[in-house]
Amino acid sequence: MANVVVVGAQWGDEGKGKIVDWLSVEADVVVRFQGGHNAGHTLVIDGVTYKLALLPSGIVRPGKLSVIGNGVVLDPHHLVQEIGKLEAQGIAVTPDNLKIADNVCLILSIHRELDAHREGASDNAIKIGTTKRGIGPAYEDKVGRRAIRLMDLAEPDTLDEKIARLLSHHDPLRRGLGLEQVAASALRDELLSVAPKILPFMDATWELLDGARRAGKRILFEGAQGALLDVDHGTYPFVTSSNTVAASAATGSGLGPRAIGYVLGIAKAYTTRVGGGPFPTELHDDTGKLIGDRGHEYGVNTGRRRRCGWFDAVLVRQTVKTSGIDGIALTKLDILDGFAEVKACIGYMLDGDRIDRLPASQSAQERVEPIYETIQGWEGTTSGARSWADLPAQAIKYVRRIEELIEAPVALLSTSPERDDTILVHNPFQD
């Protein structure tokens, strides 16, 4: 039985939450290994919708252990709110089914304020399109070795020194930006007010996970944003502030690379993106609006409308390689039902030359023009299909063509937000 890493193969919002929840039937442990509460996961189970941001998707399944790994940046106040919302829906979240890495770095109010200021400071500045929730500034403090970590809340006598170290960076930064200074006592109160609510979940999760692996437990690693938002391999600078590719499952959880078995990439049957940055196949016409309306393409936690376009096989093929993806879970095929024809991008033109990858240069990414292959659409519906026999023949041809273009097989096919509307081709845990 292989441990499985689930990563988004596009810019996020591919439907990872449902797939992770579906796979968690066979998993013993579900781990979030990077990102913050800027990534929304929607689960629809027996007609009930659960909206998650920080909590691993396995939390809604009884008998599963959910782990927030060290690669995550954690807003403790948001976590408390999210737990409260789930409990109001009848989902119990306790230290028995949720563990948080003791060395996870925290998102504070100063991070949220800085994030919002940068995004709204100037019309002439490059707007990354962040959720303004403080994720980027929190990661900056992490790599700057000045972050407050969860374990620090268990040692209140040492907090003053650590807050002073943090403010030695933020005080001059805030002065330069014209922001009010933050009192050390205010940060201390902010942290201590939430400490009793989250410290019971704290654990040395790397040790816990190592024990689970050695005991033969099945571990499911859940990524947040898509691979195209990876700080190294994504459309920089329009990316998130962490590594979102599959390899970060190892560092973000404290396990070595041998703990990873099968890498499952999630991709929509079309393409979407939230925020700024290049998007070669974006549709600005009625077709793009129709895809967005049919697919309910709005951010789970922000409500922002997503940009929509045709399937970009170049980008997905690239993420197949940078994440070592073994198979794809293709989602939202049903949104394309009834189109007379659909298109897939099979290459780009850049300054008169054809290329088969997205260049790393920001300016080149803005200049690439998609080369499309037109594919016959299908009548009938794929919505709710649970076997290949339920699919129109032309829809199957579209899926097979995608497999050829991205150089990876489709392991799962999702045909609605409902958990059971899934066609299993290959079980990742059986690799």
Side-chain angles (χ1 to χ4, degrees):
M1 301 291 284
N3 295 326
V4 177
V5 180
V6 175
V7 295
Q10 295 161 316
W11 279 293
D13 307 310
E14 302 97 345
K16 292 184 294 298
K18 172 195 167 173
I19 300 300
V20 168
D21 174 63
W22 192 88
L23 289 171
S24 66
V25 172
E26 296 191 41
D28 299 298
V29 186
V30 183
V31 185
R32 268 287 304 274
F33 58 86
Q34 54 76 220
H37 61 303
N38 52 342
H41 291 168
T42 300
L43 309 179
V44 181
I45 303 171
D46 297 328
V48 180
T49 299
Y50 303 95
K51 294 187 176 182
L52 308 177
L54 265 175
L55 292 169
S57 297
I59 199 72
V60 300
R61 278 199 185 274
K64 310 297 179 181
L65 177 63
S66 290
V67 174
I68 296 177
N70 56 275
V72 173
V73 285
L74 179 89
D75 185 322
H77 292 279
H78 178 90
L79 178 65
V80 170
Q81 293 172 9
E82 191 170 326
I83 289 173
K85 288 179 180 178
L86 273 188
E87 290 179 339
Q89 292 183 279
I91 303 296
V93 181
T94 72
D96 292 327
N97 64 353
L98 175 66
K99 299 293 185 182
I100 305 173
D102 53 7
N103 54 343
V104 75
C105 294
L106 302 181
I107 299 173
L108 309 178
S109 56
I110 56 173
H111 299 130
R112 295 191 297 271
E113 292 170 12
L114 181 58
D115 202 359
H117 179 81
R118 285 172 172 170
E119 280 293 300
S122 170
D123 291 336
N124 296 322
I126 294 178
K127 295 185 185 299
I128 304 300
T130 78
T131 56
K132 304 177 184 179
R133 296 189 173 193
I135 284 83
Y139 273 115
E140 291 174 31
D141 282 342
K142 176 179 179 176
V143 298
R145 297 166 291 183
R146 53 182 173 265
I148 305 295
R149 301 191 292 175
L150 179 57
M151 66 181 71
D152 296 329
L153 304 190
E155 302 173 344
D157 292 343
T158 70
L159 266 181
D160 288 341
E161 176 185 348
K162 292 165 183 173
I163 290 172
R165 182 177 61 196
L166 179 66
L167 290 180
S168 68
H169 169 80
H170 281 271
D171 280 347
L173 177 62
R174 292 175 71 90
R175 281 196 299 270
L177 295 173
L179 298 174
E180 291 185 10
Q181 299 300 286
V182 174
S185 59
L187 280 184
R188 181 184 177 85
D189 292 344
E190 176 185 334
L191 291 165
L192 294 183
S193 68
V194 77
K197 300 175 184 177
I198 64 170
L199 282 176
F201 298 101
M202 184 176 74
D203 207 332
T205 55
W206 66 268
E207 187 174 40
L208 184 154
L209 290 170
D210 181 67
R213 182 177 68 86
R214 292 177 183 276
K217 301 291 186 181
R218 295 178 294 272
I219 304 173
L220 183 59
F221 299 91
E222 176 185 20
Q225 297 83 9
L228 290 171
L229 293 177
D230 186 276
V231 71
D232 288 312
H233 300 287
T235 48
Y236 192 91
F238 301 96
V239 293
T240 195
S241 298
S242 60
N243 287 112
T244 61
V245 294
S248 61
T251 54
S253 63
L255 292 175
R258 290 187 179 180
I260 298 173
Y262 188 97
V263 179
L264 180 68
I266 316 296
K268 285 176 181 169
Y270 51 96
T271 310
T272 64
R273 175 163 203 172
V274 172
F279 186 169
T281 65
E282 183 173 9
L283 295 170
H284 300 281
D285 57 10
D286 290 342
T287 299
K289 184 177 185 302
L290 178 60
I291 291 173
D293 290 341
R294 281 189 179 184
H296 305 290
E297 295 296 350
Y298 298 91
V300 174
N301 291 303
T302 64
R304 291 187 297 177
R305 187 177 181 93
R306 297 175 186 139
R307 301 154 63 190
C308 298
W310 294 120
F311 185 82
D312 192 329
V314 179
L315 290 182
V316 177
R317 184 172 63 244
Q318 193 159 321
T319 59
V320 164
K321 299 179 188 304
T322 57
S323 271
I325 290 172
D326 297 297
I328 288 285
L330 192 68
T331 66
K332 291 198 167 184
L333 181 66
D334 55 301
I335 304 306
L336 300 180
D337 289 351
F339 278 85
E341 60 182 32
V342 293
K343 295 182 179 182
C345 174
I346 61 173
Y348 302 132
M349 294 300 295
L350 176 62
D351 302 332
D353 296 320
R354 175 168 175 156
I355 59 173
D356 293 311
R357 61 178 175 81
L358 187 70
S361 162
Q362 180 183 344
S363 61
Q365 290 174 0
E366 294 170 350
R367 298 197 309 277
V368 296
E369 299 177 1
I371 301 170
Y372 285 117
E373 178 179 300
T374 300
I375 303 169
Q376 181 184 338
W378 53 90
E379 296 179 358
T381 180
T382 63
S383 181
R386 298 184 181 181
S387 73
W388 287 108
D390 297 331
L391 297 175
Q394 194 58 40
I396 295 175
K397 289 181 181 179
Y398 179 65
V399 174
R400 296 305 187 203
R401 182 57 179 149
I402 284 178
E403 290 180 316
E404 293 173 351
L405 292 170
I406 66 174
E407 300 175 11
V410 169
L412 292 162
L413 190 64
S414 172
T415 57
S416 94
E418 286 289 346
R419 175 192 283 170
D420 294 330
D421 290 341
T422 306
I423 300 172
L424 176 65
V425 182
H426 174 79
N427 186 340
F429 279 115
Q430 300 292 340
D431 192 56

